[in-house]
Amino acid sequence: MGQFKNFIGGEWVEGEAVIRNINPSDITDLVGEYAAAGAAQTKAAIEAAAAAFPAWSMTTPQQRFDILDAAGSEILARKEELGRLLAREEGKPLADGIGEATRAGHIFKFFAGEAVRIEGTALASIRPGIDINVMREPMGVVGLITPWNFPIAIPAWKMAPALAFGNTVVLKPAELVPGSAYAIVEILSRAGLPKGVVNLVMGKGSIVGQAMLDSPHVNAVSFTGSTGTGARVAEACVKRGAKFQLEMGGKNPALVLDDADLSVAVNACLNSAFFQTGQRCTASSRIIVTKGVHDAFVEQMVAAMKTLKVDNALEPGCQVGPVVDARQLAQDEKYIDIGRKEGAELAWGGERLNRATDGFFLQPALFVNTKNDMQINREEIFGPVATVIKVDSYEEGLAIANDTAFGLSAGVYTTSLKHAAHFRRNAKAGMVMVNLPTAGVDYHVPFGGTKGSSYGAREQGRQAVEFFTTTKTQYSFAG
Ligand code: ADP
């Protein structure tokens, strides 16, 4: 098996070390060996992106449309193969992997359209004889640092708008999932991009990521990952005046009310707490239930959890794949242990599972009798572990839903228009779901949160233009 290389200045180049990409459903399966770049190669990639910027920023919207549209078409045509690669390297069930590849194809096509729809504003001046145009211009070189949980979709939703609006890109994917990023960049490399417009540098966050943060030539950094790393990104960017946006954690509440349609609530909570192994920043991790329906909800939730098929991501019918790696599994188990010690009661799950292949399988876990001030309700676990908090009323439930350092997504399950409308207005989150899972979003509308979940301009949809461009206000004297 050959080594998958970094892409720098239009050339595929060897790295300074090797990333062994292991299948978390079957640790004997080596997905591939990927080149890990060092700091010098990262610098070279940034220089290539800087050199490519002037010409790329002057391309016509139609040229950028054609390239992004072609990439989107190839991604859609190869969605089964890309989805399988994703499922193999990250552990998402195959159907979800294919769904994610499909979404990436749609994202490229959406932003192809955005390239030609870019607009400015014309205004009359407050002074006589003067016209004003407010126009958008690209930022320059953008550094994209991405996590492992959506290995195709997140690089796609950062790269596509960056390119659509005329920026050049250096992408650093998470070390656990270089394969998906490589595949997307390989497609882009044949879609007609001039040399240096997109660069891929795989490798360690502390080396490659840090080199991007510290480079004076990286004008903007878009980051998705943990809260701790997000703080480092912010610090480095503030120091040198670079623009940045951060998408970080969640501790998303799902508020189930007495008048909920219980099957809707159970299905939504099951999906958003445990599907994709709970490894979504939009996962529901705190399920807040009013007392009248609490016992019936827990009973139905546990019954549904018992039917979940936890298995190798490529196994037909798999609903929940493995945890992504040994380190994350240890983190999940650590929190299960903390929950027990804090006095929470494990209603179901939490134990390691053996399957036909040797992988990181964990039975999804549901804690009951928990309090919102417990550590398991304060900190993001990022695994298939959810808690139930019993409350007396809607008002108490809403207060607890909002009592968190995060604010990404919040769900309410009710047949009451009054409560649904009140929750939509008063939930302190960037995204609110009524009778829907907290996870699962569309690509053509903004994505992001409040408080500790996000910082800076929103991603995706038409709002993506905010981050990837800067405005220029042009005054002209017309005589
Ligand atoms: P996760 O727990 O999801 O892996 P991280 O924040 O550790 O979250 O990783 C998200 C991305 O940030 C990854 O691509 C990772 O390599 C990168 N990263 C980690 N440390 C740094 C750093 N010091 N500077 C820049 N990027 C980093």
Side-chain angles (χ1 to χ4, degrees):
M1 189 188 304
Q3 195 185 94
F4 296 94
K5 296 176 179 166
N6 292 304
F7 191 56
I8 300 175
E11 309 293 333
W12 293 101
V13 296
E14 305 269 347
E16 293 181 1
V18 169
I19 301 168
R20 284 170 56 80
N21 187 2
I22 305 291
N23 177 349
S25 298
D26 176 1
I27 58 173
T28 64
D29 177 28
L30 177 68
V31 180
E33 292 194 332
Y34 291 78
Q41 287 181 317
T42 308
K43 192 165 170 262
I46 294 166
E47 281 165 7
F53 176 69
W56 177 247
S57 67
M58 298 308 289
T59 49
T60 65
Q62 188 63 46
Q63 283 171 296
R64 299 198 296 276
F65 175 98
D66 290 343
I67 290 167
L68 295 175
D69 188 58
S73 295
E74 182 170 341
I75 292 168
L76 290 175
R78 291 174 52 195
K79 63 179 192 236
E80 312 266 338
E81 171 206 340
L82 293 168
R84 177 169 285 271
L85 169 66
L86 195 170
R88 205 173 142 213
E89 78 170 352
E90 195 262 352
K92 197 165 281 194
L94 180 58
D96 293 335
I98 295 170
E100 187 174 331
T102 306
R103 178 176 173 189
H106 291 155
I107 288 169
F108 273 97
K109 286 185 170 282
F110 175 79
F111 283 107
E114 289 298 277
V116 289
R117 277 190 294 267
I118 189 159
E119 48 188 41
T121 322
L123 293 94
S125 170
I126 55 169
R127 291 170 283 163
I130 294 176
D131 294 328
I132 305 175
N133 291 294
V134 182
M135 306 298 284
R136 290 197 179 272
E137 292 186 350
M139 291 300 302
V141 176
V142 297
L144 310 179
I145 301 177
T146 57
W148 48 260
N149 64 332
F150 286 93
I152 292 188
I154 296 180
W157 86 49
K158 293 187 193 295
M159 279 198 289
L163 296 171
F165 304 127
N167 301 280
T168 55
V169 166
V170 181
L171 169 66
K172 192 216 96 61
E175 253 183 296
L176 287 177
V177 292
S180 300
Y182 175 93
I184 299 296
V185 170
E186 197 280 325
I187 289 172
L188 279 168
S189 77
R190 289 179 291 96
L193 286 173
K195 284 183 192 310
V197 172
V198 165
N199 302 273
L200 171 68
V201 277
M202 300 175 281
K204 282 195 193 308
S206 55
I207 298 174
V208 177
Q210 197 65 46
M212 282 164 63
L213 299 182
D214 294 338
S215 169
H217 303 296
V218 174
N219 305 101
V221 175
S222 178
F223 168 84
T224 303
S226 63
T227 308
T229 310
R232 297 176 75 117
V233 173
E235 197 184 339
C237 289
V238 165
K239 255 190 206 152
R240 60 181 187 80
K243 189 175 183 181
F244 62 98
Q245 71 179 171
L246 311 174
E247 285 301 338
M248 300 169 289
K251 199 68 195 170
N252 307 295
L255 176 54
V256 181
L257 301 181
D258 281 357
D259 65 6
D261 178 328
L262 259 199
S263 67
V264 168
V266 168
N267 284 332
C269 291
L270 194 71
N271 174 325
S272 41
F274 305 123
F275 285 10
Q276 301 197 20
T277 322
Q279 298 173 154
R280 295 186 282 189
C281 47
T282 47
S284 297
S285 51
R286 296 179 300 138
I287 306 174
I288 304 159
V289 190
T290 47
K291 62 185 177 192
V293 76
H294 174 272
D295 293 357
F297 174 84
V298 170
E299 191 183 311
Q300 290 188 29
M301 192 71 181
V302 169
M305 289 173 74
K306 287 181 179 169
T307 70
L308 279 179
K309 186 170 171 177
V310 183
D311 211 330
N312 186 315
L314 298 178
E315 198 58 28
C318 167
Q319 289 173 292
V320 177
V323 174
V324 74
D325 71 348
R327 198 184 64 145
Q328 182 63 46
L329 182 61
Q331 174 165 317
D332 297 348
E333 291 188 308
K334 181 191 86 178
Y335 276 107
I336 291 170
D337 207 38
I338 289 172
R340 281 206 187 94
K341 288 190 179 130
E342 289 182 301
E345 185 190 323
L346 202 48
W348 173 255
E351 67 276 0
R352 295 274 285 272
L353 298 172
N354 290 319
R355 291 293 177 257
T357 50
D358 188 5
F360 307 111
F361 302 107
L362 181 66
Q363 184 74 266
L366 186 70
F367 276 111
V368 294
N369 291 332
T370 78
K371 298 277 170 246
N372 198 42
D373 59 4
M374 288 178 172
Q375 201 179 341
I376 52 169
N377 281 325
R378 305 313 295 178
E379 296 170 14
E380 186 178 49
I381 300 172
F382 218 63
V385 183
T387 68
V388 174
I389 303 171
K390 188 173 174 178
V391 292
D392 286 336
S393 63
Y394 165 73
E395 289 72 21
E396 189 194 355
L398 175 65
I400 285 179
N402 287 337
D403 179 4
T404 168
F406 298 101
L408 189 55
S409 184
V412 70
Y413 308 90
T414 178
T415 51
S416 150
L417 187 57
K418 181 178 149 207
H419 285 143
H422 190 269
F423 189 84
R424 281 211 313 253
R425 281 188 175 218
N426 293 286
K428 303 260 182 287
M431 298 177 289
V432 180
M433 310 290 183
V434 177
N435 294 323
L436 283 169
T438 53
V441 297
D442 289 5
Y443 61 81
H444 65 304
V445 286
F447 176 94
T450 59
K451 299 194 272 183
S453 289
S454 306
Y455 183 92
R458 285 280 188 266
E459 295 198 82
Q460 303 193 63
R462 301 220 68 191
Q463 272 71 10
V465 75
E466 297 294 339
F467 183 73
F468 290 106
T469 62
T470 181
T471 51
K472 181 181 277 176
T473 312
Q474 305 170 351
Y475 293 85
S476 38
F477 182 53

